[in-house]
Amino acid sequence: MHILKTYNEYLAKLYLKYLFIIIAIFSSLTFILNILEEIKFFNELNMGLYYPVLFTFLNLPSVLFEIFPFIILISTQFFFIHLYSKDEILLLKNYGVKNTDIIKNISLVTLIFGIFLIFGFHTLSSNLKHNYLSFKNNFTSDKKYLAVINENGLWIKDENNKTVSIINAEKIENNYLEDVSISQMDNEYKLIKTLIADRVDITNKKWILKKVKVFEIDGKNSEQNNIIFESNFDIKKINSLFSNLSSLNIFQLQSHYYDYKSLGYSTLEIESQFNKLISLPFYLVIMILIASILMLNVKFNKSKIFSIIIGVLLSVIIYYINYFFNVMGINERLSILMSIWFPLSILALISFIGLVKINEK
């Protein structure tokens, strides 16, 4: 019993060793690829290397989080390559340790690691991503334009023709804002006038305000059926502002879900992101099973590179399968639950079938 416990600890430590090595390798590769993009961006602004390096570090954890399933699969492959190359897998069998015992051991470690990723690493990466997007906004031409959604609806700060407009809408329906108030101010934030509209067509950047009440600062009030309002926003731009959900942790996603729902804004992407986060530990365990089945079934006299290439190809195929179902869910061809959990269920079923007679390998 003591021997089995010792080997369980050894296997867990060996697996974590290769996991952290692969994380370090992919972190380095990701850093190099991202810093090239940041250098290109800041080079146009004639700035030095400080900002490219800073922004790359801020964005790195978020990018890394997205590729953890791929990292887990590759780490598992190197773990088994070590066991085979050192003949440790035969030694384990002599002590009564089955292949399924090895898989259970590293699967449990991965499950715990997956939970840490959701509530620990992702909380950090989403905060850094939020800072990345906020700071980078200061270096773009759109830095004067802000938009947020909270319990009081949609809020937009829009600057145009030396006029600052603070816009609030209680609801979004298709290409329309409902129950809209627009406070227009000068550059010193002195109120000029207030517009209150029942409905606003935001199909393009020339908004059409319908049934408008105009309140002037001098006390003159009027009503008009239609007013054209020049904006820097249209429905496409507003949608894009709220599409980067990687800057929200799991608790913020839940909060935003209720805010979006009360506004009438689509919650499909939030539901999809939330379910992807919740399913991550199971996704990682499935990648463990797939990698284990691959390494235990492929004869080890074949090239190690061959096994790694097969693993990479499987990762790419699984990624695009998940991406396809995710798009189907967001486009309402499938329910969000089905789009996230169905492909994982199929992969889990295939994995369990592959585990049959795995101890004979």
Side-chain angles (χ1 to χ4, degrees):
M1 190 73 177
H2 176 71
I3 293 175
L4 289 177
K5 183 179 178 182
T6 301
Y7 276 111
N8 280 331
E9 291 177 359
Y10 170 73
L11 290 172
K13 289 178 180 178
L14 180 65
Y15 172 69
L16 287 173
K17 170 190 169 183
Y18 280 103
L19 176 59
F20 290 129
I21 289 173
I22 300 302
I23 289 174
I25 291 171
F26 275 91
S27 296
S28 301
L29 292 173
T30 303
F31 181 86
I32 293 170
L33 293 174
N34 273 260
I35 200 170
L36 293 176
E37 283 188 34
E38 299 299 341
I39 288 173
K40 182 181 178 182
F41 176 84
F42 284 101
N43 187 49
E44 297 173 358
L45 301 173
N46 296 318
M47 305 184 78
L49 279 176
Y50 172 76
Y51 284 109
V53 172
L54 173 64
F55 279 66
T56 299
F57 274 117
L58 289 175
N59 195 40
L60 178 62
S62 179
V63 176
L64 205 59
F65 184 83
E66 296 297 324
I67 59 174
F68 262 115
F70 178 77
I71 289 173
I72 291 292
L73 188 142
I74 300 298
S75 301
T76 306
Q77 288 188 290
F78 275 97
F79 167 80
F80 276 103
I81 286 173
H82 175 96
L83 292 182
Y84 273 115
S85 62
K86 303 292 184 181
D87 290 326
E88 291 178 2
I89 199 157
L90 293 176
L91 182 63
L92 289 168
K93 286 183 178 180
N94 291 335
Y95 279 99
V97 180
K98 301 176 183 179
N99 290 336
T100 50
D101 295 327
I102 298 173
I103 295 172
K104 285 177 185 177
N105 181 291
I106 59 177
S107 294
L108 178 60
V109 172
T110 302
L111 187 64
I112 296 170
F113 181 69
I115 294 171
F116 162 75
L117 286 180
I118 295 175
F119 296 103
F121 186 85
H122 184 260
T123 299
L124 171 65
S125 69
S126 61
N127 288 337
L128 292 177
K129 184 73 171 185
H130 176 76
N131 290 331
Y132 170 82
L133 295 172
S134 298
F135 294 160
K136 200 163 187 179
N137 181 59
N138 293 324
F139 295 94
T140 65
S141 59
D142 288 345
K143 63 182 178 180
K144 296 180 180 179
Y145 317 133
L146 304 173
V148 295
I149 290 177
N150 58 30
E151 64 275 9
N152 296 316
L154 172 67
W155 290 88
I156 296 173
K157 177 191 174 187
D158 193 356
E159 294 188 29
N160 203 352
N161 297 325
K162 298 183 180 181
T163 301
V164 180
S165 297
I166 304 298
I167 304 160
N168 175 233
E170 291 188 7
K171 190 175 181 181
I172 296 177
E173 185 176 338
N174 298 322
N175 293 336
Y176 292 89
L177 299 180
E178 306 280 350
D179 297 322
V180 180
S181 68
I182 302 174
S183 299
Q184 292 189 303
M185 296 167 280
D186 60 22
N187 287 337
E188 295 179 355
Y189 290 90
K190 293 180 179 178
L191 185 64
I192 300 172
K193 62 181 175 181
T194 301
L195 309 174
I196 297 179
D198 289 349
R199 209 169 196 222
V200 178
D201 185 343
I202 57 171
T203 304
N204 54 54
K205 293 180 180 179
K206 287 189 176 183
W207 292 8
I208 302 174
L209 282 62
K210 302 177 182 294
K211 295 183 179 179
V212 190
K213 294 179 181 178
V214 182
F215 299 91
E216 303 281 354
I217 191 64
D218 59 7
K220 293 180 181 178
N221 303 330
S222 62
E223 294 187 16
Q224 299 182 41
N225 288 328
N226 293 296
I227 290 180
I228 302 297
F229 177 80
E230 296 279 350
S231 174
N232 292 290
F233 292 85
D234 55 17
I235 186 63
K236 185 177 180 181
K237 185 170 182 178
I238 289 174
N239 286 336
S240 69
L241 290 172
F242 304 109
S243 62
N244 199 323
L245 299 177
S246 60
S247 63
L248 302 176
N249 62 43
I250 193 166
F251 305 107
Q252 290 170 329
L253 282 172
Q254 188 175 24
S255 175
H256 275 62
Y257 171 81
Y258 293 110
D259 290 340
Y260 280 36
K261 196 169 183 181
S262 64
L263 181 64
Y265 197 77
S266 174
T267 61
L268 291 176
E269 290 193 30
I270 288 184
E271 292 176 55
S272 178
Q273 181 74 0
F274 185 83
N275 276 276
K276 280 196 289 186
L277 283 176
I278 294 298
S279 66
L280 180 64
F282 305 102
Y283 187 8
L284 298 183
V285 170
I286 289 171
M287 298 304 277
I288 285 279
L289 299 179
I290 292 172
S292 301
I293 292 165
L294 173 64
M295 298 306 292
L296 290 169
N297 280 279
V298 173
K299 299 297 182 183
F300 198 70
N301 54 15
K302 295 197 175 185
S303 169
K304 298 175 186 177
I305 300 297
F306 172 79
S307 300
I308 300 299
I309 291 173
I310 294 296
V312 171
L313 290 174
L314 281 173
S315 297
V316 172
I317 291 170
I318 292 169
Y319 171 82
Y320 279 107
I321 288 173
N322 282 324
Y323 177 79
F324 172 76
F325 276 93
N326 185 38
V327 171
M328 293 279 282
I330 292 174
N331 291 333
E332 299 185 78
R333 301 292 180 87
L334 293 172
S335 69
I336 291 297
L337 286 176
M338 180 72 75
S339 69
I340 300 299
W341 292 96
F342 179 72
L344 291 182
S345 300
I346 295 298
L347 290 171
L349 180 61
I350 294 171
S351 299
F352 288 135
I353 293 173
L355 289 174
V356 175
K357 298 184 179 180
I358 199 73
N359 288 323
E360 299 175 9
K361 302 298 180 183

